Amino acid sequence: MSLSMCQQTPFFLHIPQSGTVHCRQPPKEKVVVVLGATGTGKSRLSIDIGTRFPAEVVNSDKMQVYEGLDITTNKITQEECCGVPHHLLGEIDPNMDFTATNFCNMASLAIKSVVNNRRLPIIVGGSNSFIEALIDDKDNDKFRSKYECCFLWVDVSMPMLDSCLSDRVDRMVERGMVDEVRKMFRLNANYSRGIRRAIGVPELDRYFRAESSSDDKTRARILEEAINMIKFNTSKLACRQMEKIYRLRDVKGWKMHRIDATDVFRRRGREADKAWENLVAGPSAMIVSRFLYNFGPMEYRNLRALRGPLMGTAVAAATH
């Protein structure tokens, strides 16, 4: 993730000279939901939004909620957060099961806290089952009755995403994923509970068992097989996540703003950052501005240049 996003211009609502804020009075609180398969840039987009609007992130990734395995679960770092507060990120005991019900209860409290602080909640994560359970509660329409949602779907073509996910696994290995998982290895480990369900943990079990009893060549082969399996399972996860997003859109009727980031992943360095701003961050910020304030593209471009001490007051007036 490029740290250039931390330099984004914050969004300020224009206060006319009369002191009157011209905006709609929405009947419900506003929530932004960032969807997408693993590796598409959801976290990056959430930070882009969080640095342009007064916002806080509520993590909905079912593995990133756990404490530990930061490399293996690809958690966003403190530096990458750019000062945007995060909830449900690395907070849960890694040995306990964290269910959709647990998530709904804790996420609801976090969202309520963010709203009470006159800030915008951004729900982001690849666990679409958690997001669906929160938003489309079968027992009652509690969430929908309180909140109006803006769904941003970051999409990348699967052939391109497959290649990028493979490269990401290689980078995770270089950063120390194997050593990180080794610290959690237990001979009698249960890979159906807690953080040990995370991709990268079960796949390395055979390698750790063979470390002390195999020669170098055998260990290298087993490790290579484990890494390839991690790549395969990560790609499978992305496919399942895409299928769920299609179902939420086509069957359940969720109205999503699809943001195609494929071209960003074809580029490198500054060219990729420019493409991200032009194709993903900029359009998403305009969508959110319309969602919050009913501003059009021209008004948004004018407002991005504004500065002033009235941000908190303006946002409170616009979102309440």
Side-chain angles (χ1 to χ4, degrees):
M1 181 186 297
S2 170
L3 294 181
S4 62
M5 73 181 74
C6 300
Q7 309 301 322
Q8 298 290 356
T9 304
F11 186 95
F12 291 89
L13 181 64
H14 177 56
I15 306 295
Q17 290 184 353
S18 64
T20 302
V21 178
H22 298 287
C23 58
R24 295 181 302 164
Q25 294 297 323
K28 300 177 183 179
E29 304 291 356
K30 307 271 187 159
V31 175
V32 171
V33 183
V34 181
L35 301 164
T38 184
T40 54
K42 298 182 300 298
S43 294
R44 179 177 183 177
L45 180 56
S46 71
I47 299 302
D48 276 321
I49 297 171
T51 53
R52 300 179 193 216
F53 300 86
E56 299 184 19
V57 171
V58 178
N59 169 56
S60 62
D61 186 292
K62 64 177 64 175
M63 291 296 112
Q64 292 181 358
V65 298
Y66 290 109
E67 181 183 3
L69 293 185
D70 293 355
I71 299 172
T72 307
T73 60
N74 202 41
K75 285 193 188 83
I76 188 171
T77 66
Q78 191 69 33
E79 185 180 15
E80 290 169 338
C81 285
C82 297
V84 178
H86 279 61
H87 303 264
L88 291 180
L89 185 67
E91 297 180 8
I92 306 301
D93 184 324
N95 295 308
M96 73 169 285
D97 282 332
F98 189 75
T99 66
T101 300
N102 297 142
F103 170 75
C104 291
N105 292 336
M106 295 185 70
S108 295
L109 291 174
I111 292 167
K112 182 178 180 180
S113 173
V114 174
V115 168
N116 287 343
N117 288 331
R118 305 293 181 90
R119 298 173 72 82
L120 173 68
I122 304 172
I123 304 172
V124 58
S127 300
N128 299 309
S129 58
F130 276 15
I131 295 175
E132 182 181 7
L134 175 68
I135 293 174
D136 284 350
D137 190 330
K138 293 180 180 179
D139 297 328
N140 55 63
D141 202 21
K142 190 183 299 183
F143 190 92
R144 292 279 194 179
S145 66
K146 291 181 179 179
Y147 303 107
E148 181 182 356
C149 295
C150 173
F151 296 101
L152 300 176
W153 167 23
V154 188
D155 192 21
V156 177
S157 70
M158 280 309 302
M160 176 60 66
L161 187 58
D162 270 339
S163 175
C164 292
L165 290 175
S166 177
D167 292 342
R168 188 179 77 171
V169 172
D170 289 335
R171 291 194 300 272
M172 290 162 66
V173 172
E174 291 173 2
R175 289 170 53 204
M177 180 178 71
V178 176
D179 289 336
E180 182 181 70
V181 176
R182 182 185 286 109
K183 294 175 183 177
M184 291 199 67
F185 173 68
R186 301 291 184 274
L187 287 173
N188 60 345
N190 183 348
Y191 294 115
S192 65
R193 292 180 60 87
I195 201 172
R196 286 187 171 85
R197 293 175 296 156
I199 293 175
V201 181
E203 292 86 349
L204 285 166
D205 178 89
R206 180 169 169 243
Y207 171 70
F208 295 139
R209 291 176 186 274
E211 267 192 312
S212 60
S213 59
S214 302
D215 56 47
D216 291 346
K217 185 176 180 180
T218 301
R219 285 198 300 271
R221 176 179 57 79
I222 295 174
L223 178 59
E224 182 180 5
E225 290 172 354
I227 292 171
N228 287 336
M229 185 56 66
I230 292 170
K231 293 179 179 181
F232 176 76
N233 287 337
T234 303
S235 181
K236 277 180 58 178
L237 171 64
C239 289
R240 290 198 304 270
Q241 290 170 329
M242 287 300 303
E243 289 171 357
K244 289 180 181 178
I245 290 172
Y246 285 131
R247 182 179 62 80
L248 292 173
R249 184 192 64 177
D250 299 336
V251 177
K252 304 208 73 174
W254 287 21
K255 295 181 179 180
M256 302 181 186
H257 300 277
R258 178 178 174 270
I259 311 294
D260 190 350
T262 303
D263 195 49
V264 177
F265 286 75
R266 296 192 180 103
R267 304 166 186 260
R268 294 292 181 269
R270 291 185 178 180
E271 287 299 314
D273 288 339
K274 289 180 182 178
W276 177 267
E277 174 60 32
N278 292 333
L279 299 176
V280 181
S284 296
M286 277 195 273
I287 291 168
V288 173
S289 72
R290 288 198 299 269
F291 174 63
L292 293 178
Y293 313 114
N294 200 28
F295 290 159
M298 183 61 69
E299 293 166 300
Y300 172 77
R301 283 193 290 269
N302 292 336
L303 288 166
R304 278 200 64 191
L306 295 177
R307 296 290 190 275
L310 298 173
M311 184 176 186
T313 303
V315 170
T319 59
H320 287 265

